[in-house]
Each structure stands twice: as structure tokens, then as C-alpha cells.
Amino acid sequence: MTLIPTDLSATRISDAVRDPNREIAASSGVIDLSVGIVVCIPCFRRPQHLRLTLESLANQRTPRSFAVVMVENDAIRRESAPVAAEFLAAGRLQGVCLIEKRQGNCQAINAAFETAQGLFPAATRFLMIDDDEIASPDWLELMVRTAEATGADVVGGPVLPVFDDDSKPWLSRHPAFCPAYDYSGAVPLIYGCGNCLITRAAFERFDRPAFDLRFNFLGGGDCDFFVRCRDAGMLFHWTADAVITETVPHNRTSLGWIAKRGLRIGAINYRVQYKAAQNTAARARVFAQMLGRVPLSLVRAAALQRSSKAVVAMHPVMVALGAALAAFGLEPKPYEASKIAS
């Protein structure tokens, strides 16, 4: 164990945070540089829920030592930083909280993973949880144990919704909220980083930044990263018992929000596939496929209407429409600060 008091390791921290657009807002009294596991937490204007997230991490049932790297992505209000500082100062968690001055989803995630890799040189496994999520007590142990047992480069787990509006329990089966898999085992791909483990070796296969900034305000930088991991031959595993719950506020269960979510998923699908296309002919095929999915989605929606609620049946139409709009350069930017409700 390499324990270094943070007041004696300012140089070490500054070396890990060389980017002038990043600064350390808080750190624990002691940092163990020998930890092999780091949990990364992007934060933006949810200080009350961040407290619940950090409580869940502080109460993990595991003998393993781990650190946290929190990234406050609101450089003006900095509401998450005092909560992070409280947990770090009390020694309930070890690690750092930094400010990423450049706003956006990918900026915050890149800051977290890059700082974690730089500050903790012995760490080989990097997990991520969002600041509106709560980890089950055995989450970290199950994720790391799976990585050890399978040799997977990427491990994913379910994010289960907990709705503030309990009048719509059926929404848990909507594709916008339903986990990608309902079993544990090898999988071809995972699609989001709200519950993931990525090895250092996986990051080292790519240039920085790992999460493409072209997805910064749209979202989907995680999907793009995992598609590149798959295309590089990396192994994915899903751990169904490593559960994280996500608090879903009232405004995310409205018909309008769900429709916009479908449009965004479609735009991400188009952007990821278009980026992966290697030449003009391949990009033309992606363009044509996206346009062709609009009429097909109407057929699928009609079939779903017989057994599902209208809001579920309309999802394939919204996804297809979002992809078609993105093909013409029209896409949402939900991760711009002006688009995010406090």
C-alpha cells in the first residue's frame, strides 16, 4: 500500500491534472496510489442525489480498496463540489473531485477517466456510475469479480429505473428504460457507461480523448466508444446481479420527454454508424438505410400497438425519425447546459 498525504502530494495531483481547463476542488486526506480500482462519477447540478450516490459507494460490501474521481461539470455553480468534499474530508471515500470547465457529457467523462488513470498508476479497472444513480451493496465486488473471472475488457450491468411518478410502472418495460440484457454472460456489446467497468488495457488501445467530443452535447459517446472496442476485438460481459438504480424524475416520464429520447437514440445510431463507415459508398449505404427505416418503423409500431401502450409503440418511429433527421444534419443537443433542468 502506498499511502500519500494529499498535502504532500500536490505535485502528484497536478501531474495528473495538467489540463488548464481542469482543477482540483477537493481531495481526501490520504490517497492510496496502489489501489487497483477507481470509480468515476460525472456530476452536474444534482447535489442532493449525489449524496445518495456517494452513500451507496461508501457502503459497498467488498474487501477491495478503491478510490473515486468525481468531476463537477458546472464550473460556475459548483453545487456538487461541497458534497464531494464532505465525503472526502470525512474519509468515507478516498480520491479527488475536480472541476471540468468545458461543459458537456464527453468532456466530463473524459476528465474522469483520464484523471483516474493518471492519478492512480496501479489501477487497472475503472468503473462508472452517474450522479443520479445508486449502487447496490455488492455492485463493485460483482463487477470486478466478473472482470477477473472472464478476462473481459468491458463489463456492463443493468440500470433499473425508480420512477418518482409511481403511477406508470409499465414504463420500466419501455426501451428507453429497459436494460439491454436480462441474463449474465458474454454479450456482443454494451451501449452505455452508466454502469460499466473498463480496463486500462482497453483505454490504451485508443488515442485520447477516449470519448469522441463530436458526441459531447448529443450523447452517445459511450456507445461510439464501445462499438470501437467491439471492432477492435475486445470482449464484453454482462453481470445481471450488479444492479444500479436510477432515479427518474417526473419530467422524464412525460410523453414529450420520451419522444425526444427516441429521437436522440436514432440520432446517436446514425452518428455512430456513419462514423464507422470507411468510405463514401459505405456512408451512402448508412444514409439510405436510415431513411428506409422510417416506413418500416410504421409497420413495427402498428404491430406493437396491439400488445403495448401507444407510448411504447411509437418508440421505433421516433428512433427511425431521429436517425433520418440526423442524416440531414438535424439532431438534439440535450447535454448543453441550457437544455438541462436543474
Side-chain angles (χ1 to χ4, degrees):
M1 183 178 293
T2 308
L3 295 177
I4 295 185
T6 52
D7 59 350
L8 299 179
S9 59
T11 300
R12 175 80 202 175
I13 294 176
S14 64
D15 284 346
V17 188
R18 294 179 178 177
D19 193 314
N21 290 294
R22 298 170 185 168
E23 65 179 79
I24 294 293
S27 61
S28 54
V30 173
I31 289 180
D32 178 5
L33 298 182
S34 68
V35 297
I37 304 161
V38 184
V39 180
C40 296
I41 314 161
C43 309
F44 189 81
R45 296 183 183 173
R46 288 188 282 229
Q48 294 179 337
H49 202 289
L50 176 62
R51 184 177 299 278
L52 301 177
T53 303
L54 297 183
E55 284 283 356
S56 75
L57 294 178
N59 293 324
Q60 287 294 291
R61 293 189 296 224
T62 180
R64 305 171 194 270
S65 179
F66 67 93
V68 297
V69 171
M70 294 166 274
V71 175
E72 167 62 87
N73 199 213
D74 185 349
I76 303 300
R77 292 159 57 171
R78 304 189 178 200
E79 296 172 310
S80 304
V83 178
E86 176 186 327
F87 277 78
L88 295 172
R92 300 195 64 197
L93 292 166
Q94 66 157 318
V96 298
C97 174
L98 67 146
I99 310 296
E100 169 55 73
K101 300 176 185 177
R102 295 161 296 193
Q103 200 268 319
N105 176 262
C106 292
Q107 293 283 17
I109 296 173
N110 284 326
F113 282 129
E114 289 172 11
T115 301
Q117 292 173 70
L119 184 57
F120 297 97
T124 57
R125 296 183 173 94
F126 303 90
L127 296 91
M128 190 177 130
I129 183 171
D130 286 329
D131 65 345
D132 60 349
E133 297 177 342
I134 297 172
S136 56
D138 298 311
W139 169 69
L140 184 141
E141 179 65 25
L142 289 170
M143 294 289 279
V144 175
R145 193 183 298 171
T146 297
E148 291 175 341
T150 65
D153 301 283
V154 179
V155 177
V159 178
L160 303 181
V162 176
F163 299 104
D164 283 347
D165 183 357
D166 57 9
S167 68
K168 302 175 182 178
W170 51 269
L171 269 179
S172 62
R173 299 188 299 275
H174 190 283
F177 302 109
C178 186
Y181 308 100
D182 60 1
Y183 61 89
S184 293
V187 293
L189 185 69
I190 73 167
Y191 300 92
C193 61
N195 181 0
C196 75
L197 177 154
I198 306 170
T199 63
R200 182 183 289 270
F203 282 115
E204 290 176 345
R205 296 282 294 275
F206 303 108
D207 293 333
R208 289 186 174 182
F211 287 67
D212 191 333
L213 295 177
R214 286 173 287 185
F215 294 88
N216 195 38
F217 296 119
L218 168 64
D222 46 3
C223 182
D224 168 69
F225 176 77
F226 294 133
V227 166
R228 286 185 281 127
C229 288
R230 180 199 63 193
D231 293 346
M234 297 187 200
L235 301 178
F236 293 79
H237 203 94
W238 187 262
T239 304
D241 293 332
V243 173
I244 279 177
T245 56
E246 175 186 23
T247 302
V248 182
H250 284 268
N251 65 338
R252 291 191 178 186
T253 57
S254 69
L255 182 62
W257 188 92
I258 293 172
K260 290 178 182 177
R261 178 67 174 264
L263 292 173
R264 183 169 75 90
I265 291 171
I268 290 169
N269 290 346
Y270 173 77
R271 179 77 73 86
V272 170
Q273 292 182 44
Y274 188 85
K275 178 185 172 183
Q278 297 297 313
N279 51 52
T280 302
R283 289 190 287 271
R285 283 195 296 273
V286 171
F287 182 87
Q289 288 170 357
M290 293 300 172
L291 295 184
R293 287 176 184 172
V294 174
L296 291 176
S297 71
L298 296 173
V299 176
R300 186 178 176 197
L304 286 172
Q305 182 66 51
R306 301 190 190 102
S307 59
S308 305
K309 291 182 178 289
V311 68
V312 176
M314 77 174 187
H315 182 70
V317 177
M318 291 297 101
V319 172
L321 183 59
L325 291 172
F328 288 101
L330 301 172
E331 58 188 31
K333 295 183 178 180
Y335 287 104
E336 283 185 334
S338 61
K339 307 287 178 60
I340 301 174
S342 299

